[in-house]
Amino acid sequence: DSGVTQTPKHLITATGQRVTLRCSPRSGDLSVYWYQQSLDQGLQFLIQYYNGEERAKGNILERFSAQQFPDLHSELNLSSLELGDSALYFCASSEQGFGYTFGSGTRLTVV
Amino acid sequence: AQKVTQAQTEISVVEKEDVTLDCVYETRDTTYYLFWYKQPPSGELVFLIRRNSFDEQNEISGRYSWNFQKSTSSFNFTITASQVVDSAVYFCALNRGGGADGLTFGKGTHLIIQP
């Protein structure tokens, strides 16, 4: 157990739908990062939050959004889902960005 | 922009052989961090090592060793006396440190250790 908790582990949904992925960071870590792993794009950084504020953006689509709550857990919202959004979504947490601990991921399948 | 290249898509060796996974990076930052992660078939990402740009000292941890050469922008990973349990996808990654921005990952090397 890495200390980073992601739910759900698996998610199957239809095109056009909206889903929310949840991440609880490791105790004491203020930063949360979201990554997408797909066969064609590999592992890509999506977005980072630090203590509730957006800190950095990577290759995140406009249909995707995230937030970090006062208790430091984070949610990644994916809307108007397309077949190409099927991927493994990872959350990672970090205290000061020098080490990153990943959760076990949420496997999203869009049908 | 930062870039990480892992030219070896797949490597297959017989158990107990030594194997080296190559990683070449590009960055304009003078301060940066390099990482290796392991992704076993179960799918999680397991941290192996972090190295900062000012520390070119090689590191050994059990059967694992890392060779960082700034002159060639490489951070190679060697597994000595490989075991079947080492079979996984290995990712090299880079970031500019300080927590700003996420990791830039290479495409990964799929390592297959045959018994």
Side-chain angles (χ1 to χ4, degrees), chain A residues 13-90:
Chain A
T13 190
T15 54
Q17 295 299 304
R18 171 189 167 95
V19 297
T20 297
L21 312 184
R22 182 188 169 103
C23 169
S24 293
R26 198 176 53 168
S27 178
D29 287 352
L30 301 180
S31 279
V32 169
Y33 303 78
W34 286 98
Y35 290 85
Q36 179 195 59
Q37 184 177 27
S38 61
L39 282 176
D40 51 347
Q41 298 292 329
L43 266 163
Q44 286 197 104
F45 165 64
L46 296 179
I47 196 165
Q48 177 204 357
Y49 275 81
Y50 177 82
N51 203 20
E53 300 289 327
E54 183 184 302
R55 184 85 173 260
K57 260 185 175 179
N59 298 320
I60 189 166
L61 299 173
E62 285 192 9
R63 300 184 284 109
F64 295 0
S65 65
Q67 54 184 328
Q68 186 179 27
F69 295 87
D71 67 352
L72 300 178
H73 91 271
S74 178
E75 293 180 356
L76 179 67
N77 301 298
L78 316 176
S79 61
S80 303
L81 285 167
E82 303 174 359
L83 295 178
D85 297 327
S86 295
L88 188 53
Y89 290 85
F90 284 105

